[in-house]
Amino acid sequence: MTKTFAVIGDPIDHSLSPSIHNAAYKALGLDCTYIAYRIPRGELKAGVESLKQIKISGFNVTIPHKIEMMKFLDEQSRECKIIGAVNTVSNDDGRLVGYNTDMDGFLDPIKKRNLPINGSSVLLIGAGGAARAIIAGFAKEGAHKITVANRTKEKGQEIARFAAGLGLESDAVSLDEAGQSAGRYKFIVNATSVGLKNEPSPISTKTVNSENIVYDIVYMPMNTDLITQSKKNSARVIYGYEMLLGQAALAFEIWHNAKAPYDAMKKVLVGGF
Ligand code: ATR
């Protein structure tokens, strides 16, 4: 019988996850299908019930449900508990088991480039669910210091405390302050949604230089203003689609217990730009 998978969130109509996973099924000849299912904020409980009713095999969780979905899990992976958010769920005969592949999916393109994280300094822009997974990833790999820059200062401070709890030296600054000092950090990461609507970079790039690695988790457009400006300043860049692929490949491996066909998944994505 065909196995069905899904991504839940709102908005969901532009999600690239169905294309990525369906490309993987095609490449491996799996009898599976993957759909996008819009569940508005506040309707998660009923949405999860309906997924169980259709015997969904597994699903990804995206904005705005990554944190709230934790309540509906029967079991949580270690990463999920540390991060406090879930992006991948498997349905084991009605038992929902939650994982977080955002953390290792984020780290994947850094590791593929052999860029050392140990002892490094990080400027992280944003303080939402994605930021927490990224902080947990940098902490796991032994980064030294994280500065959190966020529009709402209190949220930045809260996430800086979360980083301190994971053993990182941390502080919180404004977006303006971040623009003044960005060039001093090894990694500069945008974990906000700024760029998705072609907005200007969330911080000034005037100090960005060839020593920096600039990673934007916004994947559409591929060349956000932050990425474009950083390339002009000779920084190394990592694209948001690489994290998207990393987390999708890891979710695939959890569900199918087989190596993800990374190149087929990448082809459908990069071909889509
Ligand atoms: P996610 O789960 O993807 O991280 P989120 O929890 O809604 O999403 O977090 C969104 C992040 O983008 C927050 O850091 C938010 O800043 P605030 O804490 O001030 O809300 C940031 N963000 C969203 N729109 C922004 C904008 N126009 N300018 C600056 N930051 C913005």
Side-chain angles (χ1 to χ4, degrees):
M1 202 180 70
T2 307
K3 286 185 172 174
T4 305
F5 295 85
V7 56
I8 63 168
D10 189 23
I12 207 67
D13 44 346
H14 290 109
S15 171
L16 297 171
S17 294
S19 306
I20 299 173
H21 285 278
N22 284 313
Y25 305 150
K26 201 169 161 200
L28 298 184
L30 297 178
D31 186 12
C32 298
T33 186
Y34 188 110
I35 56 165
Y37 177 32
R38 188 173 79 90
I39 301 181
R41 195 187 284 277
E43 294 179 26
L44 185 58
K45 190 171 194 289
V48 170
E49 275 311 313
S50 60
L51 286 170
K52 280 185 168 178
Q53 255 162 28
I54 64 159
K55 298 198 172 7
I56 197 89
S57 296
F59 54 98
N60 283 126
V61 184
T62 188
I63 294 168
H65 302 307
K66 285 187 185 185
I67 295 169
E68 203 194 344
M69 183 63 212
M70 294 285 283
K71 287 203 298 240
F72 301 106
L73 298 173
D74 298 296
E75 195 182 322
Q76 302 170 355
S77 73
R78 206 176 142 260
E79 283 84 7
C80 247
K81 283 186 197 151
I82 293 172
I83 298 162
V86 53
N87 82 319
T88 302
V89 178
S90 74
N91 180 11
D92 188 3
D93 281 331
R95 255 180 79 74
L96 299 184
V97 184
Y99 303 87
N100 193 309
T101 67
D102 283 334
M103 179 179 84
D104 285 324
F106 171 81
L107 294 173
D108 183 59
I110 301 178
K111 291 187 172 172
K112 281 204 169 93
R113 287 169 171 79
N114 285 317
L115 298 168
I117 294 178
N118 196 26
S120 64
S121 59
V122 180
L123 174 63
L124 177 66
I125 311 156
R132 292 171 76 92
I134 291 166
I135 287 173
F138 277 117
K140 182 173 92 156
E141 299 298 322
H144 172 61
K145 184 187 173 170
I146 287 213
T147 295
V148 180
N150 198 48
R151 176 179 60 181
T152 312
K153 190 110 193 229
E154 301 79 63
K155 280 176 81 183
Q157 285 163 340
E158 187 189 324
I159 211 106
R161 282 194 293 275
F162 169 73
L166 296 180
L168 289 158
E169 198 178 292
S170 69
D171 61 354
V173 298
S174 68
L175 295 174
D176 275 350
E177 288 166 317
Q180 305 292 331
S181 61
R184 296 209 294 267
Y185 296 84
K186 186 77 213 159
F187 291 94
I188 301 167
V189 181
N190 176 35
T192 72
S193 49
V194 179
L196 204 54
K197 294 179 193 142
N198 274 308
E199 307 95 319
S201 166
I203 61 160
S204 161
T205 50
K206 67 181 181 191
T207 65
V208 171
N209 61 73
S210 60
E211 297 294 307
N212 300 135
I213 299 155
V214 178
Y215 192 160
D216 197 336
I217 73 161
V218 171
Y219 55 80
M220 189 75 94
M222 182 170 152
N223 282 293
T224 57
D225 183 48
L226 172 64
I227 291 283
T228 304
Q229 299 300 331
S230 299
K231 280 201 275 197
K232 274 190 195 146
N233 293 1
S234 308
R236 255 188 114 144
V237 302
I238 304 179
Y239 296 100
Y241 83 79
E242 299 179 71
M243 174 178 177
L244 181 70
L245 269 175
Q247 64 76 30
L250 291 168
F252 181 96
E253 288 171 6
I254 288 168
W255 291 327
H256 303 282
N257 219 355
K259 184 128 189 61
Y262 189 88
D263 289 340
M265 296 166 92
K266 180 175 176 179
K267 198 167 161 207
V268 70
L269 192 57
V270 180
F273 280 103

